[in-house]
Each structure stands twice: as C-alpha cells, then as structure tokens.
Amino acid sequence: MSSSPEVGRHSENDLSGCIDTPSLQLVWSEAPWDSVLFGAPVLQIGALTLRDAAAEHDIAAFVEARDRAGAMLVSCRLRHEQLAESMLLEQIGFRFIEMLYQPELGLATLTPSSHGLAVSRAGADDMAEILEAAGSAFNNERFHMDPRLSSEIGDIRYQNWVRSSLDHPVQRLYALRDGTTLVAFFVTEMRADGTCYWHLTAVAPGLQGRGYGRRAWEAMLEQARNDGAARVQTCIVARNHRVLNLYARLGFRFPPPLMTLHWVRPA
C-alpha cells in the first residue's frame, strides 16, 4: 500500500495504473498480446480488494482511465469468495464469464503407464498440423464463451499462442503422436519451484472421444517428471466437465476456484 492514499495513479496513456485508498486497491495493466489481436487496448486487472463501501466512489478513477485509453476489453480474475469485489465490478459493467480451477498433482508417486504415444518437442515441420488443431480445440474458453466477442478472435488467439511457444524463452511446445498421427499438443513451462505448468493442452479435435485424452495426459505427466518437475499444475474452466473428470481420475487435487469477469466496450 502507498504511504498516502492515491486515487487513479496511472501511466500517461492510462494502460496501467493503481488505485490505493482506504476503501479500494485496484491495479491494472495492458495485455499487449491481446491488444494486437483486437486492434485496440485490452486491459487486465491484476489485483482488486474492496475495503469499504466508499470503493464505489474510488473506482470511478479506473473507469475514467479505461475510457480515456479506449479499451476494448478488460478482464479480471478473483478468488471465488470475493463476491463483494465481483459485485463492485458488475456495477461498472463487468459480467461473469466462468469459474476456473487450477488443479495440481505431485509426481513423487507417479507410476509408469502404457500410453503408447511418442512425445517430442515440436519443430517447424509440426506447426501446420498443430495450428490447425489449435484453431478449433478451445471452444470452452472465455474468448469463445463470451457472446460479445467473436469466436474467430478466440481461435486466432490460441493459434498465435501456439506459434509463439515454438521459440519462446521458457515455454515448450510438445507434439504427441500415435505412429505418424498427431493426437495432441501441450504448451508447458518449467518453473523455478519445480512446477511444470501446462498452459495449453488439447487433443486434436478430430480424435476427441476416441480414448486419447487419458493416454496423452499420462504421457505428459511422465514427460514432466523426466524433465525434473516435482509437480504439474494447470487451469481448467468449470464448464469443461469431461476434462475435469479426467483430471480427477488422474488424481489431481483441486484448490478453490477463481471467477473470471469481462468488461467489453459496447458496440
């Protein structure tokens, strides 16, 4: 917290800022990768704490900065118990989009499986197949489920993410094959605390429902352990019940969920 209360301390272009008063803490910044996609500023709220009812007055500084910046979209994730904060956001036009789980599994007792899939770091020769799969594999995600946003933008967003992961400094793109057939891809990141974080996980849309899900996930758990990870963590939207059941069968632990809210500029 700042030494003296400040309302609306922000950058010259309003793309980042902080409100820190006795009633409200709110920190926001730009999501530049999404700004490029939308052709207009996209912001994300990184911290939000409501301290008393006067927050309704103090949050006006954020609304003014958001509008001066010409933001197209603002996203925020809150802990599931932050209902007062979610109601405050709803008062300025945000809408609930999803509940998000972040399951985790320790790998110390992982036993080998007979998945029968080949796992390899993806290369340029794999990209055409992986990008085709990424363009239609994420129909449950927030960019597809918010009816105010174009599903096509969501498809391009995940394709861009996969494309950038090929040469990313910390993220790794894996291809999983059954013989010569691409059955799944994963974008992962090895973190300093021993966590292998799965950013994107998908079975190729044409092969879903044919038993590849569990085999692919077991293969990538083994890959994480071989890479030196002590645990695996990821995130899943609550509406993706088929994948939630898969993680439960694999033994993942589910901490309390997060809420995702969006503000979208009216057309």
Side-chain angles (χ1 to χ4, degrees), residues 27-38:
V27 180
W28 74 92
S29 60
E30 185 184 14
W33 49 90
D34 287 331
S35 294
V36 171
L37 184 63
F38 280 89

Side-chain angles (χ1 to χ4, degrees), residues 158-169:
Y158 292 108
Q159 287 179 320
N160 287 348
W161 191 340
V162 167
R163 188 180 290 109
S164 69
S165 70
L166 185 62
D167 300 311
H168 196 278

